[in-house]
Amino acid sequence: MANHLHDFLIHLGDNALILGHRLSELTSHGPVLEQDMAMTNIALDLVGQTRNIFQVAAKLQGNGATEDSIAYTRDATSYKNILLVEQKNGDFAKTVLRQFFYDAFNYHAYQRLLKSSNKDIAAIAEKAIKEITYHLKWSAEWVIRLGDGTEESNSRINAAIDDLWPYTEEMFKFTDYELACHDEGIFPDIHGIKAEWDEEVKNIFAEATLTVPEDGWMHDGGKRGVHSEHLGFLLAEMQFLQRAYPGQQW
Amino acid sequence: MEKNLNDIFQAKIDREEKIEPKDWMPDAYRKTLIRQISQHAHSEIVGMLPEGNWITRAPTLRRKVALMAKVQDEAGHGLYLYSACETLGIDRDTLFEQLHSGKAKYSSIFNYPTLSWADIGSIGWLVDGAAIMNQVPLCRCSYGPYARAMVRVCKEESFHQRQGFEILLNLSKGSDEQKAMLQESVNRWWWPAMMMFGPSDADSPNTQQSMQWKIKRFTNDELRQKFVDICYEQAKILNVTLPDPDIKWNEERGHYDFGEINWDEFWQVVKGNGPCNKERIAARKTAWEEGAWVREAAVAHANKRAARKTKKVA
Ligand SMILES: [Fe+2]
Ligand SMILES: [Fe+2]
Ligand SMILES: [Fe+2]
């Protein structure tokens, strides 16, 4: 089994699953009905993408692995999502900003995956790119609204920037498995993503009357399985039924 | 004059023509509709909570997606219904205030807790099932906007009902633990679902007027009977026992007889003493209050944008 390809798929799927799960915690608690539906929509897309990705990973893994065994029977140290997506929802400003940072990255990453030398990954990207384009539009618009809204919304999104900025660098700190995929054309041109992400953030922040922070200390570890304390609780909740009643059909 | 308008109005209804927002209508008709449609809209929104409760614990990715989609559908139903209600001259914010203050009611069923995964199946099978029975006749309601909203809603509700039944069917073919989970859940949901049709006809004084206005087409007891007849057959497929020792086929009536509903429990839950009344309202209020700054920001930003545009044009 080509390990770097499998690790990369797990990483992609975990990002989508954990963020989708976080958003799904908000279903029926949104600030207004229309945005409740919009966030659930994004969650639906993300968990849908997870399924497509894990199905390919399961095939590669063999031994009876399924999308669900991958999602529900791994402990936190085997999860490879970035730390950003497991951060708690916080207030709407934090939810929106976490989404924007991720979407801006994901949009440019998936543009590249469209051209992946791996046909399965290219097909996954083809399906996902329309959804991701919409997610980025939604989250960028809300960053602008909150930044250039009221005094309160502006101070809330600034607080969210303080909280989340230190988690942004990890997206561009490529692991061995990403670099190996890059070398094989599975994940082409990864080194160009950062500049495009910077540009995206600069433009949206300018429109939102927000300042892009100076780069300070940055966290990482999620991609290598070293997570924040939050992930264990998230998994305990998500995996409860599969753990309490192992091996059953639902 | 008033009498004349009233006659024209009733004649229109008798000819099965729809009443539209701009048409003249008696005050009592308008009030009845606002009460009923807003109650219905609130039920959709509050109903998202007990099911939303299990989204983060859904047992497979496929189930997680399906449950999210279902709860999202309910939000959509709320939206259509609030819009239908607004055509009667009341706005959504006022309706929310009435929900939060306890002035407006919603279906009592959503004051019961979801305690196991099987409850997600039971809600689909029994609660969406009962809702469909209540709502299909509303697709022919005399008030146009309500009738049209219900056509869209009913299509999705019957999908929810099938999805819930399928969850339970899966459990019925599973391990002993899963079968026990199924039976325990049906034991808890059966009677509250039976109560969804409202008080018996003898205690339902508004039914006659609503039938004459063709808002309602069948009485509460008629619908309840239909529900029992259908569920009894479906319970056999699920290999599950309905928790009513008095259910039995009545040859003469051509229907199943069934036991007495605990009306004391029903009225207690309506009055606010159900297991989750306080949590449900608190959850809605919290979402609304914590969302206030977001709604204000959206308005403020839209105003700034409009102002900049006018400036440019000028
Ligand atoms: Fe509904
Ligand atoms: Fe409904
Ligand atoms: Fe439904």
Side-chain angles (χ1 to χ4, degrees):
Chain A
M1 186 173 74
N3 257 322
H4 55 277
L5 175 58
H6 186 259
D7 284 352
F8 180 54
L9 285 164
I10 295 294
H11 159 68
L12 285 180
D14 287 349
N15 273 350
L17 176 58
I18 300 302
L19 186 56
H21 182 96
R22 275 291 185 228
L23 288 173
S24 81
E25 295 171 353
L26 295 169
T27 299
S28 74
H29 302 282
V32 61
L33 219 37
E34 286 82 349
Q35 298 316 319
D36 195 307
M37 293 174 76
M39 287 189 286
T40 305
N41 229 354
I42 297 174
L44 270 167
D45 288 344
L46 289 171
V47 181
Q49 289 167 18
T50 306
R51 296 188 63 194
N52 295 334
I53 296 164
F54 282 176
Q55 280 161 17
V56 175
K59 221 173 17 180
L60 209 61
Q61 211 172 309
N63 278 327
T66 65
E67 58 180 70
D68 291 322
S69 71
I70 293 176
Y72 290 93
T73 62
R74 276 180 306 141
D75 201 348
T77 50
S78 306
Y79 264 78
K80 294 190 184 345
N81 59 276
I82 50 176
L83 298 174
L84 176 72
V85 296
E86 71 199 47
Q87 298 307 305
K88 289 190 163 182
N89 291 322
D91 63 6
F92 186 71
K94 191 169 172 186
T95 303
V96 157
L97 187 71
R98 181 187 61 194
Q99 191 67 38
F100 172 64
F101 284 158
Y102 175 75
D103 291 341
F105 171 80
N106 224 25
Y107 177 79
H108 294 291
Y110 271 71
Q111 290 292 353
R112 287 159 169 82
L113 295 179
L114 284 171
K115 296 174 209 131
S116 177
S117 60
N118 181 293
K119 284 207 177 64
D120 288 326
I121 291 183
I124 287 167
E126 183 82 45
K127 267 193 224 163
I129 196 72
K130 262 193 224 126
E131 296 168 350
I132 294 167
T133 305
Y134 165 79
H135 302 169
L136 176 58
K137 185 168 181 287
W138 181 86
S139 59
E141 273 172 8
W142 272 105
V143 168
I144 294 166
R145 268 189 209 113
L146 298 184
D148 187 25
T150 60
E151 220 170 285
E152 179 174 6
S153 68
N154 181 278
S155 86
R156 280 177 185 265
I157 195 132
N158 268 302
I161 294 172
D162 282 348
D163 276 356
L164 295 176
W165 187 255
Y167 294 101
T168 51
E169 181 70 22
E170 189 186 8
M171 297 188 276
F172 312 104
K173 237 178 157 179
F174 296 108
T175 55
D176 291 347
Y177 57 83
E178 287 167 290
L179 293 171
C181 286
H182 176 246
D183 290 345
E184 289 175 20
I186 295 167
F187 191 4
D189 183 29
I190 47 178
H191 299 293
I193 301 177
K194 169 104 169 94
E196 288 174 21
W197 186 87
D198 283 343
E199 186 68 18
E200 192 86 53
V201 171
K202 196 181 91 193
N203 291 338
I204 298 300
F205 272 29
E207 213 181 319
T209 69
L210 295 167
T211 311
V212 178
E214 298 289 317
D215 279 347
W217 173 254
M218 291 284 178
H219 301 288
D220 69 61
K223 288 176 176 182
R224 290 177 283 114
V226 183
H227 291 275
S228 61
E229 288 181 347
H230 306 307
L231 186 65
F233 289 100
L234 185 155
L235 294 179
E237 187 171 334
M238 185 176 88
Q239 298 177 340
F240 154 66
L241 280 163
Q242 292 274 359
R243 300 292 196 182
Y245 305 93
Q248 322 218 332
Q249 297 300 310
W250 299 94
Chain B
M1 179 67 179
E2 180 88 340
K3 172 150 191 331
N4 215 340
L5 285 171
N6 214 339
D7 289 344
I8 296 169
F9 169 81
Q10 186 63 48
K12 211 169 166 185
I13 286 180
D14 293 341
R15 290 194 305 271
E16 297 283 338
E17 282 171 36
K18 293 281 179 250
I19 306 300
E20 294 300 333
K22 290 205 172 94
D23 296 344
W24 184 90
M25 62 186 86
D27 263 358
Y29 177 83
R30 186 185 299 275
K31 272 197 194 128
T32 300
L33 278 171
I34 289 177
R35 186 171 36 80
Q36 183 172 335
I37 300 173
S38 69
Q39 233 175 59
H40 192 165
H42 297 327
S43 302
E44 302 286 352
I45 299 311
V46 177
M48 294 168 71
L49 293 165
E51 291 190 277
N53 205 16
W54 277 88
I55 289 177
T56 54
R57 289 176 290 172
T60 67
L61 296 178
R62 182 172 83 91
R63 294 289 184 204
K64 195 181 187 74
V65 167
L67 183 55
M68 277 195 269
K70 187 199 168 184
V71 176
Q72 192 195 33
D73 282 349
E74 307 300 3
H77 298 170
L79 271 187
Y80 311 152
L81 288 163
Y82 285 123
S83 304
C85 205
E86 285 181 318
T87 64
L88 291 157
I90 187 162
D91 62 89
R92 215 208 284 184
D93 286 9
T94 309
L95 294 170
F96 278 149
E97 272 162 36
Q98 292 176 352
L99 172 68
H100 299 158
S101 72
K103 189 178 169 227
K105 299 284 178 224
Y106 55 88
S107 180
S108 282
I109 192 80
F110 300 119
N111 292 315
Y112 289 86
T114 47
L115 304 176
S116 75
W117 171 250
D119 288 3
I120 299 307
S122 293
I123 289 183
W125 177 40
L126 297 172
V127 176
D128 286 282
I132 293 165
M133 221 136 271
N134 271 326
Q135 291 170 10
V136 167
L138 290 172
C139 298
R140 292 186 293 133
C141 166
S142 58
Y143 188 58
Y146 192 25
R148 288 188 289 272
M150 289 321 298
V151 173
R152 298 172 71 179
V153 170
C154 281
K155 256 188 225 150
E156 291 176 352
E157 299 295 11
S158 65
F159 181 73
H160 297 166
Q161 196 268 351
R162 282 200 302 275
Q163 189 174 293
F165 190 80
E166 200 254 327
I167 287 175
L168 298 182
L169 193 61
N170 224 290
L171 294 176
S172 78
K173 293 173 182 161
S175 66
D176 287 348
E177 283 167 313
Q178 286 175 309
K179 286 175 193 162
M181 192 188 277
L182 158 63
Q183 181 65 58
E184 191 275 340
S185 172
V186 171
N187 289 350
R188 276 183 291 112
W189 287 96
W190 174 250
W191 287 109
M194 288 283 280
M195 294 174 195
M196 284 177 71
F197 299 95
S200 70
D201 296 347
D203 298 314
S204 186
N206 301 323
T207 294
Q208 255 344 87
Q209 179 62 79
S210 281
M211 302 259 289
Q212 195 197 347
W213 280 334
K214 299 197 176 171
I215 296 172
K216 243 178 132 131
R217 301 273 175 171
F218 301 96
T219 72
N220 296 353
D221 287 333
E222 284 168 348
L223 292 167
R224 190 164 15 240
Q225 180 67 62
K226 210 169 148 196
F227 181 69
V228 174
D229 291 347
I230 288 178
C231 287
Y232 190 86
E233 297 304 321
Q234 293 175 337
K236 286 188 205 160
I237 302 171
L238 294 176
N239 241 317
V240 78
T241 311
L242 297 178
D244 178 356
D246 296 326
I247 292 195
K248 98 172 160 283
W249 180 249
N250 182 325
E251 193 63 60
E252 211 171 296
R253 293 199 309 119
H255 290 292
Y256 285 95
D257 289 338
F258 52 93
E260 184 65 26
I261 286 170
N262 183 345
W263 292 114
D264 183 42
E265 177 180 326
F266 174 79
W267 290 115
Q268 285 300 332
V269 181
V270 170
K271 270 186 229 152
N273 296 324
C276 300
N277 294 58
K278 290 207 175 73
E279 280 105 317
R280 300 295 185 240
I281 290 297
R284 286 315 314 161
K285 268 170 92 166
T286 305
W288 186 246
E289 282 159 13
E290 286 181 355
W293 70 269
V294 178
R295 299 189 297 273
E296 283 158 19
V299 173
H301 179 74
N303 289 341
K304 283 185 194 178
R305 205 173 256 199
R308 281 196 288 265
K309 218 176 179 180
T310 342
K311 221 172 164 187
K312 250 190 213 157
V313 174

